[in-house]
Amino acid sequence: MSRYFSDASFKFLRGLARHNEREWFQAHKAEYDEQVRAPFQRLLTDLQPVLAGVSEHYRSEPKTVGGSLFRIQRDTRFANDKTPYKTWQGARLFHERGRQVEAPSFYLHLQPGNCFIAAGLWHPEPDSLRRIRHFILDNPGSWKAAAHDPKFRRRFDLDEDEMLVRMPRGFPDDFEFAHDLRRKNFVALRAIDDEVMTGPRLLKTLQTDLSGLAPFTDYLCAALDLEF
């Protein structure tokens, strides 16, 4: 069993949170490469056969540019917060068609005290949101199995951060899953302890999580006419 991240990974990210400036980052860039980016890329490589066992249509791409790993640099052009760097490292395990159409993805987040794995669609486009809502309305039994199965909900939470106050227009108020139709995000997630992220069983834990998130992701793919 392999270890990927370490206390040094979190030490770098905590330092970046305290000194979020280009001069500090450039002075510590070797630490970022060695303690955060390189182990994340190694993890993404080791996740490839794991992900293939979950779905042949998803990719874990370890390359530095254009792969699964998000840039540590923030896009500040239209943001009020002008700090230049994210204080976490994230990676997206993406659908093979994800660059052509909007598609659900798996996501892994590394941040001291806030590590997690997630799957789904965050801030989907209006057309995708409409299609998912109609699919749930037309297929409530499958949605119950995918998103509300007791075993699934014991391990994963559904994102509740952004909800419509009222039902979207044209949908019945008395629908069994009316609460879900008010969602702006369709995301399932589970927190991961820092000790697990730095421990030897991380890959095995992520294998269990990806398998557990598969039915939820499969449902969203079906709603958008995507293969899973």
Side-chain angles (χ1 to χ4, degrees), residues 94-162:
F94 55 88
H95 194 280
E96 62 186 0
R97 293 179 58 197
R99 288 183 169 85
Q100 291 79 45
V101 296
E102 189 167 38
S105 61
F106 299 98
Y107 175 76
L108 185 60
H109 189 89
L110 176 73
Q111 184 179 20
N114 188 34
C115 299
F116 64 89
I117 187 170
L121 283 159
W122 186 74
H123 287 181
E125 295 295 327
D127 181 62
S128 297
L129 196 54
R130 177 188 57 80
R131 293 172 67 184
I132 292 169
R133 286 170 175 160
H134 276 289
F135 197 78
I136 293 172
L137 187 64
D138 294 339
N139 302 274
S142 299
W143 175 247
K144 182 176 182 178
H148 294 284
D149 176 78
K151 182 179 178 181
F152 176 81
R153 294 305 301 272
R154 280 195 297 270
R155 191 169 182 88
F156 303 103
D157 296 316
L158 296 182
D159 177 75
E160 303 281 350
D161 285 347
E162 298 177 86

Side-chain angles (χ1 to χ4, degrees), residues 28-195:
H28 295 82
K29 188 174 183 301
E31 294 174 42
Y32 167 69
D33 291 338
E34 181 179 349
Q35 303 298 339
V36 177
R37 186 166 66 178
F40 221 136
Q41 289 175 305
R42 185 161 56 88
L43 175 60
L44 289 168
T45 298
D46 291 351
L47 279 172
Q48 288 175 337
V50 173
L51 190 59
V54 173
S55 169
E56 62 182 85
H57 300 288
Y58 275 83
R59 303 289 178 263
S60 178
E61 177 52 67
K63 62 184 180 182
T64 302
V65 178
S68 291
L69 209 62
F70 283 97
R71 286 165 49 89
I72 193 78
Q73 292 82 4
R74 296 181 62 248
D75 184 350
T76 62
R77 291 173 296 173
F78 307 107
N80 292 326
D81 180 1
K82 298 300 182 181
T83 52
Y85 301 102
K86 301 166 189 170
T87 56
W88 62 88
Q89 183 71 74
R92 179 180 62 244
L93 311 182
F94 55 88
H95 194 280
E96 62 186 0
R97 293 179 58 197
R99 288 183 169 85
Q100 291 79 45
V101 296
E102 189 167 38
S105 61
F106 299 98
Y107 175 76
L108 185 60
H109 189 89
L110 176 73
Q111 184 179 20
N114 188 34
C115 299
F116 64 89
I117 187 170
L121 283 159
W122 186 74
H123 287 181
E125 295 295 327
D127 181 62
S128 297
L129 196 54
R130 177 188 57 80
R131 293 172 67 184
I132 292 169
R133 286 170 175 160
H134 276 289
F135 197 78
I136 293 172
L137 187 64
D138 294 339
N139 302 274
S142 299
W143 175 247
K144 182 176 182 178
H148 294 284
D149 176 78
K151 182 179 178 181
F152 176 81
R153 294 305 301 272
R154 280 195 297 270
R155 191 169 182 88
F156 303 103
D157 296 316
L158 296 182
D159 177 75
E160 303 281 350
D161 285 347
E162 298 177 86
M163 304 285 294
L164 294 175
V165 176
R166 298 178 180 85
M167 283 288 285
R169 183 173 298 181
F171 292 88
D173 290 329
D174 60 352
F175 180 58
E176 181 182 3
F177 300 108
H179 181 77
D180 293 320
L181 297 184
R182 293 195 292 108
R183 297 184 184 280
K184 294 184 179 181
N185 303 309
F186 284 88
V187 173
L189 67 160
R190 187 181 76 84
I192 301 177
D193 291 341
D194 289 359
E195 292 77 13

